[in-house]
Amino acid sequence: MTVQPEAQISAPIADLESDSLLGDFPEGPRLVGTLCAQCGQTMIGTRVACSTCVSRDVSRIALPATGVLYSFTRLHVGGTDVRPIGYVDLDDGVRTLADLREDGAPLQPDVRVALGVDGDGWFFAPAADD
Amino acid sequence: MTENVYVVSAAMIPFGKHRTSSYVGLAVSPLIDALQSAGVQKSDVDAVYVGHAYGGMMTGQRITKEIGLGTVPTVNIDNACSGGATALHEAWMAIGQGLIDVAVVIGVEKLTQFGGGTLPLSPEDREVKQGIVMPAVYAMRATRYLHDTEATVEDLALVSVKARRHGALNPFAQFRKEVTVEEVLAARSIADPLTLLMCCPTGDGAAVIVLASERARNRLGTPRGMRVAASVLHSGQVAEGYRDMTKPEITYESAHDAYAQAGIGPGELDMIETHDAFSIAELVYYEALGLTEKQSAVALLRDGRTTFGGDVVVNPSGGLLAKGHPVGASGVAQVAEAFWQLTGQAGARQVTDARWALTHVTGGGTAGLDHGACTIHIFEAA
């Protein structure tokens, strides 16, 4: 029988250590993204492999703080509270689900929105320059 | 596939809130009824495939042991709302490849165990952690669809009105009372623009079908049935960025493959059971299933072309909106409806001269995917 190299040991990923999408960056608090050095794909969150090319040569980046609201809804929670949420297409093309605030311009598809931070929480609201 | 595969019997319980029944209690009666109406003995059964999402360990074995249907392989399948249809797909593959002759497919779910509210989704999913729920996904689809097309919130209500009208004719439906557009719009808001009556109800259910090879069908002497002309299962593909939520590509692609496999086009269908978990879904699926061009679904609805007397009857059972949506059971229940329609057993909701039927069920809310799974079947009366 031919002797083969010892089997590779795969390692678990400690993806439960932090589930916050908000991170500290030199430019301030931003959503955490991952950039693939191999194919250039940008992804939401902390990832260990590229979902396009499966490369593990990926790094943590700050995602843009502005984007366009693709769609949204106001969730009626427990029949009383109303929680607006929506999908935001960030300026680098990454889509994220986000809590929304609508104390500025009215929410509608295609409005420009900007990241806001409130303590440990974050949200998007219509951008001030729109 | 080398062998033709046939559905030779179907049975189900009326969907509803069966609080005093377990998964076993829900499924045993239709299991016995389906076997008996097919003339199938326990010893004829080569394998059992069971679709469910929340049944826990050994759901299938817990059910089949009640009638002593053991020994043969029992496969438990979770594919969210597509679980039951995925179970059928697996059974079809096994028979079609000539590996077995007779398979039992069970779809079963007990959602009243959760006490109401939205479906529990995986807490490991990124967007679930952020608070996504299925009504919100479809509500955002609706918001974008209303933004992009001439459709109005009244059209969303009209889908529910049609579903309830059909469901009123169906003794298996959870809701059997007709509603008006005004009543749908006046119902309490769930996720704007969706009201309660634009959302499928929580409930319990079980459905069972028996599949047979041509050889077994001849041996059993089953008089009526339907041939599985296509069976397609797709998984969602991730998008890290933009996705057109009004164009659910997993259904477009599954439908394309199903029509190619069956050798027919959408124009030949007499009835469709589609995954109308929320009213917006039916409109986008008219387009995805090829009944009309993109962004033109409301014309079919408004003109009555998808109800009795129209081009194709969509959800003659009342669909998920009226019949109910016990997730793992729904895909099998759709096939039961197709079976009864194509064999002339659908009573007051019978589609005239039905020969071709399509069933479609998607499954799962997962970040980055349109849906986790999509299963489409096409059947021909035989």
Side-chain angles (χ1 to χ4, degrees):
Chain A
M1 181 176 153
T2 309
V3 176
Q4 301 286 341
E6 260 191 77
Q8 178 183 324
I9 300 173
S10 297
I13 298 157
D15 60 346
L16 298 179
E17 284 195 337
S18 171
D19 59 4
S20 174
L21 281 183
L22 192 66
D24 288 322
F25 293 91
E27 56 267 54
R30 293 284 187 275
L31 296 188
V32 175
T34 300
L35 176 65
C36 174
Q38 191 75 35
C39 73
Q41 175 72 58
T42 307
M43 296 159 276
I44 186 81
T46 303
R47 313 281 271 271
V48 296
C50 176
S51 62
T52 298
C53 72
V54 203
S55 167
R56 293 198 176 201
D57 187 4
V58 296
S59 57
R60 180 178 185 268
I61 59 168
L63 294 176
T66 53
V68 173
L69 182 62
Y70 172 74
S71 190
F72 72 100
T73 184
R74 297 180 184 90
L75 263 174
H76 295 255
V77 184
T80 50
D81 295 340
V82 177
R83 180 183 176 192
I85 61 171
Y87 281 119
V88 174
D89 289 328
L90 300 172
D91 288 340
D92 63 355
V94 169
R95 176 170 290 187
T96 183
L97 182 69
D99 278 304
L100 301 173
R101 293 209 182 158
E102 48 188 338
D103 40 4
L107 296 176
Q108 57 182 0
D110 294 338
V111 299
R112 283 197 61 75
V113 290
L115 176 69
V117 177
D118 188 357
D120 294 333
W122 57 275
F123 59 90
F124 277 79
D129 58 357
D130 271 56
Chain B
M1 287 293 145
T2 57
E3 307 273 349
N4 272 325
V5 180
Y6 297 87
V7 179
V8 296
S9 72
M12 67 181 272
I13 60 171
F15 284 180
K17 297 189 189 315
H18 303 296
R19 299 184 194 282
T20 57
S21 298
S22 67
Y23 274 75
V24 174
L26 295 171
V28 166
S29 290
L31 170 60
I32 295 169
D33 292 342
L35 289 172
Q36 288 185 343
S37 67
V40 167
Q41 305 299 315
K42 285 192 293 181
S43 57
D44 295 320
V45 176
D46 297 314
V48 181
Y49 297 84
V50 185
H52 71 93
Y54 300 106
M57 274 195 283
M58 302 288 108
T59 298
Q61 287 87 338
R62 297 198 320 263
I63 295 163
T64 55
K65 77 174 169 55
E66 293 298 314
I67 63 164
L69 176 53
T71 309
V72 299
T74 295
V75 183
N76 292 285
I77 294 171
D78 161 29
N79 231 351
C81 310
S82 261
T86 302
L88 168 56
H89 179 75
E90 293 298 310
W92 168 80
M93 283 214 295
I95 296 174
Q97 291 169 353
L99 302 176
I100 60 173
D101 275 325
V102 176
V104 170
V105 178
I106 301 172
V108 58
E109 206 74 80
K110 182 173 175 61
L111 296 182
T112 54
Q113 67 180 299
F114 300 116
T118 61
L119 275 182
L121 303 175
S122 169
E124 293 195 344
D125 183 84
R126 180 176 63 250
E127 291 186 354
V128 174
K129 287 177 186 170
Q130 290 179 259
I132 198 73
V133 289
M134 293 312 295
V137 173
Y138 284 90
M140 286 190 275
R141 182 174 282 178
T143 298
R144 191 72 208 194
Y145 195 85
L146 299 188
H147 179 264
D148 289 352
T149 72
E150 60 159 337
T152 66
V153 70
E154 285 77 15
D155 293 312
L156 299 180
L158 203 53
V159 172
S160 299
V161 169
K162 176 175 79 72
R164 290 296 196 98
R165 193 172 67 245
H166 290 185
L169 303 173
N170 184 2
F172 295 95
Q174 183 163 345
F175 291 139
R176 302 204 55 203
K177 176 178 170 292
E178 294 195 36
V179 294
T180 64
V181 167
E182 293 71 26
E183 287 172 319
V184 176
L185 294 177
R188 72 179 170 89
S189 294
I190 300 297
D192 297 341
L194 304 180
T195 68
L196 181 67
L197 294 182
M198 298 178 194
C199 305
C200 60
T202 294
D204 311 316
V208 180
I209 61 170
V210 176
L211 289 179
S213 66
E214 186 140 21
R215 180 171 53 248
R217 182 172 179 249
N218 291 336
R219 174 165 52 84
L220 296 166
T222 50
R224 294 179 298 185
M226 60 186 186
R227 180 177 67 89
V228 183
S231 178
V232 171
L233 170 63
H234 278 215
S235 294
Q237 176 60 285
V238 71
E240 301 289 354
Y242 179 84
R243 180 193 296 283
D244 182 351
M245 291 183 81
T246 72
K247 188 182 182 193
E249 78 277 358
I250 191 171
T251 293
Y252 275 85
E253 291 161 9
S254 299
H256 173 271
D257 289 357
Y259 290 130
Q261 201 178 107
I264 67 163
E268 292 178 72
L269 293 170
D270 300 297
M271 63 148 290
I272 293 172
E273 286 285 316
T274 193
H275 190 259
D276 61 331
F278 300 87
S279 57
I280 180 61
E282 181 158 323
L283 292 176
V284 297
Y285 291 143
Y286 285 172
E287 298 167 9
L289 296 174
L291 303 185
T292 188
E293 296 296 314
K294 188 166 186 286
Q295 301 194 340
S296 63
V298 289
L300 291 186
L301 181 71
R302 291 173 184 169
D303 295 347
R305 291 166 59 192
T306 54
T307 188
F308 294 96
D311 306 344
V312 56
V313 185
V314 178
N315 293 331
S317 72
L320 308 185
L321 286 169
K323 186 171 60 183
H325 185 25
V327 290
S330 295
V332 183
Q334 290 178 327
V335 177
E337 178 68 16
F339 179 82
W340 292 320
Q341 291 286 352
L342 297 196
T343 57
Q345 301 179 73
R349 66 188 189 287
Q350 179 67 49
V351 177
T352 307
D353 297 328
R355 181 183 169 209
W356 288 96
L358 180 148
T359 62
H360 157 257
V361 57
T362 63
T366 304
L369 304 183
D370 165 35
H371 285 291
C374 177
T375 318
I376 293 184
H377 287 88
I378 297 176
F379 302 99
E380 180 185 22

